[in-house]
Amino acid sequence: MFERDIFHHYQLVCEDRRSESGYRTFSCKGNQYIVIPQQQMSYEKLQEMSYISDYLQQRGENFLPELQPTITNMPSAYVDGESVIIFKVEHKKGEHRNFELGSELAEFHKRGKGLEQYYPVQQIAYGQWPMLWINRVDEMHNRYAEVSARKQKNDFDELFLTTFPYYEGMAENAIQYITDYQLERGPKGIGSAAICYDRFTERSWIRTSNSFVKLPVGWIIDSPMRDVAECIREKIYQPEFRSHEVLQFIDEYEKVKPLSKGAWRLLYGRLLFPSQYFDTVEDHYANERDIGKELYVRRFTDLISFEKQNEYFLKSFFRSIGLPVRELNIPVVDWLVPMI
């Protein structure tokens, strides 16, 4: 079905099918193709994606995949019963770049500065973290009240009701931390915005023999510390978390783009907000089908089991990276006083 649909819509013959970063890929005539669910991406959003890609290429980004239109010049098609978009990756010979994720992310952020000055991008979160987080907490409050009132509760409901007060406290700390910083610095003192990802992880890009292919999915204009924090967060919530991997990632980033005092505060404030918890709860209750419900329960249980690991990391963060918080006047959260 997959191969037939690909040939029908794109006249491409699938070779070497595999999975890369959770996406289906195949090769044809020496080029690699990445199949990504469209997820109701509007025509306007696809146009914006194309504009951002052009902007990055003009600023020196050569590792962006190209949208592959169908034979009828449509941006998407149904493959295996699912609407998808396909990107073509051209392997460029003789071109090599830094293979360190942190350094390449910093280069990406440098190339992605200034877009909002030339083009009205729809997805902008820069400078809006407290407001966005307050809205998420309020919506979660409403969900909490709704679930509490249910006569019949499932396993996920019980876990949510038990854990939400703790994560609400974490969220409020994050909101206050960033709000205080913004009040101190003013609207023009929170650093520059760049092209980022909604949730950047190592799987957001696909490794090749000479660099990373940057998938143009989930782009948003925000502080670069969004990507740095979300990549670190993913490392923390792993069974075999190694803090030195975080330090290495930060060191790689700072080789290209050293972090200012303000950047450290934005990074720490972002790490304080429990975005994975909110994502998991919101996704679960948005999924009205029974299919996948058990998966969400397992994911939720795993997430909660890693919280002590996360709390320890937040307590020891500044000490572990050797940042003199007192000399730099960087505030810490009262109940997360750095461990000695």
Side-chain angles (χ1 to χ4, degrees):
M1 178 71 79
F2 179 85
E3 289 87 350
R4 186 189 68 188
D5 288 344
I6 293 293
F7 185 78
H8 175 72
H9 292 295
Y10 296 93
Q11 293 291 289
L12 296 172
V13 178
C14 295
E15 304 167 0
D16 190 27
R17 281 188 59 185
R18 62 178 64 188
S19 177
E20 297 275 2
S21 297
Y23 297 109
R24 291 175 292 181
T25 70
F26 65 91
S27 299
C28 182
K29 296 182 179 179
N31 293 313
Q32 184 182 23
Y33 295 85
I34 306 168
V35 183
I36 296 178
Q38 184 180 359
Q39 295 178 328
Q40 299 179 338
M41 186 180 289
S42 66
Y43 179 73
E44 290 76 13
K45 191 64 182 173
L46 288 170
Q47 277 188 316
E48 181 174 287
M49 180 186 68
S50 177
Y51 185 91
I52 295 175
S53 293
D54 290 344
Y55 179 83
L56 286 168
Q57 288 174 341
Q58 291 169 12
R59 295 174 65 89
E61 179 53 73
N62 297 321
F63 289 88
L64 290 170
E66 177 185 348
L67 181 66
Q68 178 71 32
T70 67
I71 57 175
T72 57
N73 204 34
M74 297 298 290
S76 63
Y78 273 88
V79 175
D80 261 355
E82 177 183 35
S83 181
V84 302
I85 50 179
I86 293 181
F87 292 101
K88 176 183 178 182
V89 180
E90 293 187 5
H91 296 290
K92 302 179 180 180
K93 297 180 180 180
E95 250 188 276
H96 293 270
R97 280 233 290 263
N98 203 322
F99 204 62
E100 295 176 338
L101 180 65
S103 298
E104 189 62 22
L105 180 62
E107 293 281 6
F108 181 79
H109 287 154
K110 288 175 67 175
R111 290 187 289 272
K113 290 174 59 177
L115 173 70
E116 70 282 1
Q117 300 174 18
Y118 304 99
Y119 186 80
V121 182
Q122 294 179 12
Q123 297 296 319
I124 297 182
Y126 178 66
Q128 301 181 42
W129 290 357
M131 180 190 69
L132 295 171
W133 293 346
I134 288 170
N135 290 339
R136 294 187 78 180
V137 172
D138 288 344
E139 290 174 3
M140 197 72 76
H141 255 301
N142 295 335
R143 178 70 66 181
Y144 184 84
E146 176 189 323
V147 174
S148 297
R150 290 179 182 173
K151 292 183 179 180
Q152 293 185 336
K153 300 178 180 65
N154 57 33
D155 291 343
F156 193 100
D157 295 337
E158 296 292 352
L159 281 171
F160 170 52
L161 294 176
T162 301
T163 58
F164 176 63
Y166 169 84
Y167 287 96
E168 179 187 25
M170 288 285 290
E172 289 174 348
N173 275 306
I175 292 166
Q176 191 62 53
Y177 194 88
I178 296 298
T179 298
D180 290 344
Y181 171 66
Q182 290 183 342
L183 289 174
E184 287 177 27
R185 301 296 298 271
K188 296 183 179 179
I190 56 174
S192 57
I195 299 166
C196 300
Y197 286 79
D198 183 45
R199 293 288 183 268
F200 182 79
T201 71
E202 292 192 40
R203 295 184 304 279
S204 298
W205 294 347
I206 294 179
R207 289 178 181 268
T208 68
S209 59
N210 56 355
S211 192
F212 298 88
V213 174
K214 283 81 172 181
L215 297 178
V217 178
W219 277 339
I220 188 170
I221 302 301
D222 204 349
S223 162
M225 291 305 97
R226 180 192 190 105
D227 285 345
V228 176
E230 295 305 331
C231 191
I232 291 173
R233 195 193 312 278
E234 187 200 31
K235 295 178 183 293
I236 298 170
Y237 285 88
Q238 298 294 332
E240 297 180 359
F241 167 59
R242 298 177 179 86
S243 59
H244 74 270
E245 293 181 356
V246 171
L247 302 183
Q248 179 182 338
F249 172 69
I250 293 175
D251 286 343
E252 291 169 1
Y253 191 93
E254 286 206 286
K255 287 179 185 177
V256 176
K257 201 169 181 288
L259 300 189
S260 65
K261 170 186 169 181
W264 284 115
R265 290 182 65 177
L266 288 172
L267 172 59
Y268 192 65
R270 183 86 194 179
L271 287 170
L272 282 175
F273 187 80
S275 60
Q276 282 192 332
Y277 179 87
F278 278 77
D279 290 347
T280 303
V281 173
E282 290 165 355
D283 290 347
H284 169 79
Y285 287 114
N287 177 22
E288 298 179 353
R289 302 172 301 170
D290 290 332
I291 300 173
K293 290 286 189 182
E294 291 184 5
L295 177 62
Y296 277 109
V297 173
R298 289 198 300 272
R299 185 188 302 174
F300 200 31
T301 304
D302 289 343
L303 178 73
I304 294 166
S305 70
F306 293 134
E307 195 50 49
K308 285 187 178 180
Q309 196 162 274
N310 179 55
E311 189 172 314
Y312 178 84
F313 175 82
L314 291 172
K315 286 180 179 179
S316 60
F317 178 67
F318 288 121
R319 176 185 59 80
S320 64
I321 60 179
L323 199 69
V325 293
R326 290 185 178 86
E327 289 83 345
L328 294 176
N329 195 29
I330 294 178
V332 295
V333 179
D334 291 341
W335 62 275
L336 288 174
V337 176
M339 301 176 69
I340 299 174

